[in-house]
Amino acid sequence: MGENKPRIEKQVRENLLYSGRIISLYNDEVELDNGNHAMREVVTHPGGSSILAINDKDEVYFVRQYRYPMRDFILELPAGKRDNGEDPFETAKRELHEETGMEADTWIPLGSSLSSPGCFTERLYLYAAKDLHAVGQHLDEGEYLGVFTIPYEKALEMVKNGELDDAKTQLALLKYDALYRHVK
């Protein structure tokens, strides 16, 4: 193996190409550690939180909603975008309530994930939620989704069989399973 020298890139010029409601797109010029210059495309996103909510019957709450970029309905865990400066845990509690109508007495942090750090700034925080109780669903305006439960073991099999495409859903189920369900 060769020497693993860290390479630092310094921003020379920021070039905003698009600023939207959720994302912004930049084409920045950077200086490499050897003095050369390169361009870096960056999509900024405030990040979000996703919740693996498990009820007392060992069932997982899922939402099914139409995702326009995919032009299809996607089966996924409840999740949502962080409001400006919002703590990720507060995002998780808010989204669980809004999307499923549930609140949890027990929360287990499952870490965070970077969706594609080569060009996206989005960091997604993952949580498991247990000891659930119903408080009533409160969807955002224009948000339409179906909520239902799937037995935990079946959901895990769906990940293993390729039936769940959503990365945050896969990661939360597999991480929770590895860290908490099969701990000896």
Side-chain angles (χ1 to χ4, degrees):
M1 287 198 153
E3 185 179 321
N4 198 2
K5 179 182 171 189
R7 298 189 180 266
I8 306 297
E9 298 180 356
K10 296 178 186 170
Q11 184 185 59
V12 174
R13 183 175 45 87
E14 179 180 82
N15 182 26
L16 176 64
L17 300 175
Y18 171 80
S19 181
R21 189 175 55 83
I22 298 173
I23 64 165
S24 293
L25 171 62
Y26 294 84
N27 189 26
D28 293 353
E29 181 181 354
V30 298
E31 182 180 338
L32 307 175
D33 61 352
N34 65 5
N36 291 335
H37 286 215
M39 302 304 288
R40 297 289 183 251
E41 295 172 347
V42 178
V43 177
T44 62
H45 184 286
S49 295
S50 183
I51 309 94
L52 173 66
I54 306 168
N55 67 21
D56 59 356
K57 297 178 189 173
D58 206 32
E59 298 169 326
V60 176
Y61 280 81
F62 281 87
V63 297
R64 184 174 184 268
Q65 61 185 319
Y66 188 78
R67 294 295 197 177
Y68 177 79
M70 303 312 301
R71 307 298 198 272
D72 201 358
F73 287 90
I74 304 295
L75 182 62
E76 59 192 288
L77 294 179
K81 169 182 85 60
R82 290 174 60 198
D83 288 340
N84 193 15
E86 184 178 38
D87 179 86
F89 180 54
E90 294 304 315
T91 304
K93 292 191 299 187
R94 175 176 48 79
E95 289 296 331
L96 180 64
H97 177 184
E98 286 179 6
E99 292 191 357
T100 68
M102 305 300 286
E103 287 186 352
D105 291 331
T106 303
W107 288 88
I108 304 166
L110 298 175
S112 67
S113 173
L114 301 172
S115 63
S116 186
C119 59
F120 295 111
T121 64
E122 178 184 25
R123 180 178 295 273
L124 190 63
Y125 295 86
L126 306 171
Y127 297 89
K130 300 186 87 174
D131 302 316
L132 306 173
H133 47 93
V135 293
Q137 188 182 45
H138 182 69
L139 296 175
D140 290 334
E141 185 177 333
E143 187 172 33
Y144 305 98
L145 51 85
V147 178
F148 53 95
T149 58
I150 296 175
Y152 184 89
E153 290 300 325
K154 179 174 172 45
L156 200 56
E157 281 303 311
M158 291 171 74
V159 170
K160 293 175 184 176
N161 295 334
E163 297 174 59
L164 293 173
D165 292 335
D166 181 60
K168 68 184 175 301
T169 298
Q170 293 174 353
L171 182 58
L173 281 161
L174 292 172
K175 208 166 177 186
Y176 182 79
D177 193 63
L179 294 173
Y180 298 102
R181 288 183 59 97
H182 291 107
V183 175
K184 304 229 182 230

